């Protein structure tokens, strides 16, 4: 029997929990997730910047494939300068298939000791994957081949899960997942074997939601992310908080948007009592609490 979400975790108001304490007087942990995907030209494109003039789903869809490909050819390298300039480590959420296709991106992330987390083998809804357990295992194997270790974290493509995803992830050796965007602190999900931790991710400070679905001007990313940070920072007087920023090379890596990501990260970096961590650093700190 599949577990309902309400069976996987108990309801817990944040005001009634044990206080979480970060090391060295820090109040907030920021993690930044960079999503790197390979879009299969033989499939319907996961997202579109241009709808086809006569409707339908053309194959091949060169305009939308190329829109995404720009991110990996150009946008990623533009974003990389921001991470380097501000000395911030990122987490690379990467499709298993993208590892072989975009080797220079993988190498750049490895050189900087970024954490790699699974993001599906291809950019496809996990409910439509023929064999979910095999897809999860293939993704882990692709990451293990280039990093020498199993990925500990998982982000479903488009946050998609089947009823069994948390169970399959726990059984495949994953320690955390990001799909359950429902808290500002890590939460523990029950599975049919061992528990798995969900780390705070974001729909609100996610460039897909903001730029592609809500169609905001580029500057909204900076305004909203800083507003989000200021409130979480205020909340963190009571107990430590975790904040996520989510970016895609083909969106925030576009020339007219990048400065807003740089400004956001620079603003947060200016606070001494904020740590910029990877997902596994946040996980290990939480488990030690």
């Amino acid at each position: 029997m599949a577990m309902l979400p309400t069976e996987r975790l108990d309801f817990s108001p944040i005001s009634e929990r044990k206080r979480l304490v970060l090391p060295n007087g820090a109040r907030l942990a920021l993690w930044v997730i960079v999503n790197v995907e390979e879009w299969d030209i033989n499939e319907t494109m996961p997202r579109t910047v241009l709808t086809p003039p006569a409707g339908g789903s053309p194959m091949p869809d060169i305009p939308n494939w190329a829109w995404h490909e720009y991110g990996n050819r150009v946008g990623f390298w533009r974003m990389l300068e921001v991470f380097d300039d501000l000395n911030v480590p990122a987490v690379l959420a990467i499709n298993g298939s993208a590892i072989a296709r975009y080797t220079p991106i993988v190498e750049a992330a490895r050189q900087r000791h970024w954490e790699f987390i699974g993001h599906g083998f291809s950019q496809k809804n996990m409910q439509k994957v023929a064999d979910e357990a095999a897809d999860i295992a293939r993704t882990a194997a692709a990451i293990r081949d280039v990093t020498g270790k199993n990925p500990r974290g998982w982000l479903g493509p488009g946050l998609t899960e089947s009823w069994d995803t948390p169970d399959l992830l726990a059984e495949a050796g994953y320690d955390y997942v990001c799909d359950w965007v429902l808290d500002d602190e890590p939460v523990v999900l029950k599975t049919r074997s061992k528990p798995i931790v969900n780390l705070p991710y974001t729909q609100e400070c996610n460039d897909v939601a903001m730029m592609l679905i809500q169609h905001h001007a580029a500057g909204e990313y900076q305004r909203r992310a800083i507003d989000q940070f200021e409130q979480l920072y205020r909340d963190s007087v009571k107990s430590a908080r975790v904040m996520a920023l989510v970016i895609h090379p083909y969106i925030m890596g576009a020339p007219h948007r990048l400065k807003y990501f740089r400004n956001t990260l620079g603003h947060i970096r200016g606070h001494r009592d904020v740590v910029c961590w990877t997902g596994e650093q946040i996980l290990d700190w939480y488990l030690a609490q």
Side-chain angles (χ1 to χ4, degrees):
M1 263 302 281
M3 271 195 233
L4 293 171
T6 48
E7 295 171 308
R8 290 202 187 275
L9 80 168
D10 300 322
F11 178 71
S12 164
I14 200 165
S15 58
E16 294 177 12
R17 294 181 211 155
K18 187 185 84 167
R19 180 181 170 88
L20 292 177
V21 181
L22 285 161
N24 304 318
R27 285 169 49 174
L28 184 143
L30 175 79
W31 69 312
V32 187
I33 302 94
V34 179
N35 289 273
V36 169
E37 301 157 0
E38 181 183 21
W39 290 8
D40 185 345
I41 193 63
N42 297 303
E43 303 258 351
T44 303
M45 292 295 99
R47 302 191 186 278
T48 56
V49 65
L50 283 178
T51 49
S57 301
M59 297 252 193
D61 184 349
I62 296 298
N64 288 304
W65 179 86
W67 170 53
H68 159 267
E69 188 73 0
Y70 175 90
N72 293 338
R73 295 172 69 94
V74 183
F76 176 84
W77 308 97
R78 197 177 270 136
M79 295 191 321
L80 198 60
E81 288 183 8
V82 175
F83 288 107
D84 286 351
D85 290 349
L86 295 170
N87 191 28
V88 172
V91 172
L92 192 71
I94 189 165
N95 294 153
S97 65
I99 287 177
R101 163 92 182 144
Y102 301 116
T103 307
I105 290 177
V106 169
E107 280 306 308
R110 269 183 36 173
Q111 285 166 13
R112 288 161 178 79
H113 306 292
W114 287 10
E115 180 187 2
F116 285 62
I117 66 173
H119 190 42
F121 193 77
S122 59
Q123 192 58 20
K124 181 187 271 189
N125 184 331
M126 291 306 288
Q127 296 154 17
K128 295 181 178 175
V129 169
D131 184 336
E132 191 181 8
D135 187 275
I136 288 168
R138 275 180 85 193
T139 306
I143 291 173
R144 188 168 58 245
D145 285 349
V146 295
T147 64
K149 61 179 192 172
N150 276 316
R152 299 179 69 191
W154 176 271
L155 170 69
L159 303 180
T160 55
E161 288 195 358
S162 73
W163 289 110
D164 300 320
T165 306
D167 307 307
L168 296 171
L169 290 171
E171 287 158 12
Y174 286 85
D175 296 323
Y176 74 86
V177 62
C178 313
D179 301 334
W180 297 53
V181 186
L182 43 65
D183 216 297
D184 292 332
E185 294 177 352
V187 296
V188 178
L189 302 178
K190 296 172 187 143
T191 78
R192 61 195 178 203
S193 58
K194 60 174 188 168
I196 192 167
V197 175
N198 183 83
L199 292 191
Y201 190 71
T202 183
Q203 316 246 37
E204 300 290 346
C205 293
N206 184 325
D207 56 2
V208 164
M210 228 182 291
M211 301 298 148
L212 306 189
I213 298 170
Q214 299 161 356
H215 303 297
H216 283 292
E220 172 71 5
Y221 193 93
Q222 176 181 339
R223 189 178 70 81
R224 191 187 300 190
I226 289 176
D227 286 350
Q228 180 112 332
F229 167 75
E230 296 292 355
Q231 182 60 49
L232 285 170
Y233 186 71
R234 185 174 177 174
D235 295 344
S236 69
V237 170
K238 304 178 190 111
S239 180
R241 294 290 190 264
V242 177
M243 176 170 170
L245 289 176
V246 177
I247 53 171
H248 296 69
Y250 65 100
I251 308 175
M252 287 318 281
H256 66 101
R257 292 197 189 104
L258 185 84
K259 74 174 180 182
Y260 299 109
F261 174 64
R262 179 185 285 277
N263 293 348
T264 299
L265 212 51
H267 175 86
I268 296 172
R269 203 74 176 113
H271 292 69
R272 282 191 167 164
D273 48 3
V274 172
V275 290
C276 295
W277 278 356
T278 61
E280 60 184 344
Q281 285 177 296
I282 295 168
L283 176 74
D284 289 339
W285 158 76
Y286 177 71
L287 293 176
Q289 298 278 297

